[in-house]
Structures are given as C-alpha cells and as structure tokens.
Amino acid sequence: MRNLLEFISTYSNWFVCLILEVIGLTFLFQHNSYQSAAWTSTANAVAGTVYAAESEVRHYFHLQTLNEQLTMRNAYLEHEAQQLREILDEQKGDSTYRALSASSLLKDYRLIPAKVVQNSVDETDNFITINKGKADGIHRDMGVISGKGVVGIVYLAGDHYSVVIPVLSSKSNISCTIQHRGYFGYLHWDGGASNLAYVDDVPRHAHFRLYDRVVTSGYSSVFPPGIGVGKIIHVFNSPDGLSYRLQVQLNTDFANLRDVCVIDDAPMRERLDILHAAQDSIKQNSQ
C-alpha cells in the first residue's frame, strides 16, 4: 500500500494532466458538432475495420466445417447422379421406383467427415492419415470416399486418427464393375501416375467400350454399389490371355486430396448377415 501511495504521489501531475485531457476532449466532442462528427466517423471506421477482421477470422475457422459439409454433399450427389444415369439407360421396369431407390441409396449410410493430415502418392505402398478414429465411430475395414469417388479402406484406427490404404497401394484390392455391363473385376495400382489404375480379371466375353464408367460392385461389406471409381481409357490382354486388363482414369485426385468421408458400414454388414443367413438356411434345407 505504501508503495502504491508513493507511486501516485510521484506521478500525480501526470495523472491530473491525463484526467484534465479526458475531460477536455469530452467537452470538445459533446459540444462541438464538427469535432463530434469527425470523432464519430473515425470511430465507426475503426470499428468497421475491427469487425471486418473479426468476421474474416471467424469465416476462416468455419472453412473446415464447410469443406466437410461440401465433401459429404458431393459424395451424395455423385452417387445419385451415377445411379440416375443407370436408370435413364434402362428401358424397362418401374423407373419411378428405381429413381426413388437410387436417390436414397447412399443416404441410408452414415458418412463420417474427416480431413487428410498426411498423404503420399509416389510410393509403392502409399498411406493416408485422417484426423478421425475410434472415438468418432471409425474402425478397420471401413470404406473411404471423396466428393468424386473411391479413396481407399481404413487399415488401422486409433482413438483420434486412422490410417487408410488408398487405391494407390499395391495392397489395395477393390471389387469393381463396369457400369451398365454387369462384368466385374478387381482394382489394382502398379505404381506410376497417381490418376491411373487397372481393373484385372475382366472376362474375355465381356462387352464394353472405352470411356465406360467403372463403379464399386457392392459385393463386399466395404463399399455400397455404384460409388464412382473412374472411366476406361485403354484395354490390354492379361498375361495369360484369358481375361482383359482395363486401364482406368481415376475420379479422385489423390495429389490434391484434402477432405474425405468414411462410410459407416452397419447397413452393409446387416445386408450381408441376412444374405449369409439365407444361404445357410438353403443349405440346411437341401440337406
């Protein structure tokens, strides 16, 4: 307390001067219209600048949420567009019922948005790390997609981060089908360009054309049917000459991958469980 009183006593003249300055400026701006207008204008300009900066900062921190929402929406729309293209190409059956089924197919699944925190495209076995894990409902063998198509499969899930094996890995093996054609094979990557992969084991009697679309087959519990993979740009014979090998230009731009969605596979696992139960029932009845 003594030190405080000594400080005030020492600098009392400055405190009195400051108080008088404040009183003088208050009277100046309150009783003179020109100075009051100038002060108001300056204060508004400063406040506007501060508010604008605050708005920019808020907008920047909201971009992550907006990107996640856009990625999820793009995934829904891409899948719906592919399903509707297939419906338009078919000339028989109840098209109204099919349209309703197609538009709601992916919406039956819960998509978990995530951000890519580490990614590589120039290794033989590339890996992607995302910022979501078990605490967010992610576990091993879940499918991962972007707003344009297939990305890969969850390989390892921690509490808050997960590692994904992408299409750009020698360990990747995703069941695909040629849209509208009914023939399927397995998607592989042999290194090289990050926008090209191959579909192997397509039968020799298969009929298709260049630029036909390749989509997921839905024959596993990882991806629902119809998720975009890419389009056929070249056809090769397999080494043994018994099947075709298709070169596919991938939909997903792995070199610029930022936001992804992980597919909650509960509906797919339920569907497979029912299918397996039906198959077991048929076998038991046949015995």
Side-chain angles (χ1 to χ4, degrees), residues 121-124 126 168 189-198:
V121 296
D122 55 359
E123 305 290 339
T124 302
N126 294 291
L168 305 185
W189 185 70
D190 294 339
S194 63
N195 64 332
L196 298 176
Y198 297 89

Side-chain angles (χ1 to χ4, degrees), residues 196-217:
L196 298 176
Y198 297 89
V199 175
D200 294 318
D201 302 328
V202 177
R204 296 283 298 181
H205 62 271
H207 297 286
F208 54 87
R209 293 178 296 182
L210 291 180
Y211 307 113
D212 276 352
R213 294 179 177 273
V214 176
V215 298
T216 55
S217 65

Side-chain angles (χ1 to χ4, degrees), residues 169-244:
S169 171
S170 65
K171 295 180 172 63
S172 178
N173 188 29
I174 298 173
S175 177
C176 300
T177 184
I178 303 173
Q179 196 172 36
H180 312 318
R181 307 292 183 179
Y183 304 105
F184 70 93
Y186 294 91
L187 186 69
H188 297 288
W189 185 70
D190 294 339
S194 63
N195 64 332
L196 298 176
Y198 297 89
V199 175
D200 294 318
D201 302 328
V202 177
R204 296 283 298 181
H205 62 271
H207 297 286
F208 54 87
R209 293 178 296 182
L210 291 180
Y211 307 113
D212 276 352
R213 294 179 177 273
V214 176
V215 298
T216 55
S217 65
Y219 292 160
S220 70
S221 62
V222 179
F223 295 102
I227 300 295
V229 174
K231 61 183 179 181
I232 302 170
I233 60 172
H234 205 286
V235 180
F236 303 93
N237 288 320
S238 64
D240 57 12
L242 300 178
S243 61
Y244 288 125

Side-chain angles (χ1 to χ4, degrees), residues 70-79 106 111 145-147:
L70 287 173
T71 300
M72 293 177 64
R73 186 58 180 165
N74 285 341
Y76 284 130
L77 292 176
E78 177 67 20
H79 188 265
L106 193 58
L111 297 185
I145 61 175
S146 68

